[in-house]
Amino acid sequence: MTDNMLEAMFGWKDARTSKIYTLDANRARLARQAVAKINWDGIGSKLLPAADEAVG
């Protein structure tokens, strides 16, 4: 969804409000695209443990 679409839907007068939502959404979309392009073959145990796993 674009800034202009959000402004029209919600009647917002300036782009500052819509930018809050579109910047976060675009950042998340770009992160998903970047992760999808990573070649995960052969990484194996080189990954860091998940935050909920005990380290040691």
Side-chain angles (χ1 to χ4, degrees):
M1 196 165 282
T2 67
D3 292 338
N4 290 338
M5 289 177 178
L6 289 172
E7 291 163 16
M9 269 178 37
F10 296 108
W12 296 330
K13 302 292 184 222
D14 62 42
R16 284 184 291 164
T17 306
S18 61
K19 292 255 186 257
I20 293 168
Y21 298 100
T22 55
L23 285 173
D24 287 345
N26 286 335
R27 185 177 298 119
R29 179 183 50 80
L30 290 171
R32 286 190 303 273
Q33 288 175 352
V35 168
K37 291 181 180 201
I38 295 173
N39 179 0
W40 296 100
D41 293 341
I43 291 184
S45 64
K46 296 177 188 174
L47 293 175
L48 295 173
D52 59 344
E53 292 181 20
V55 177

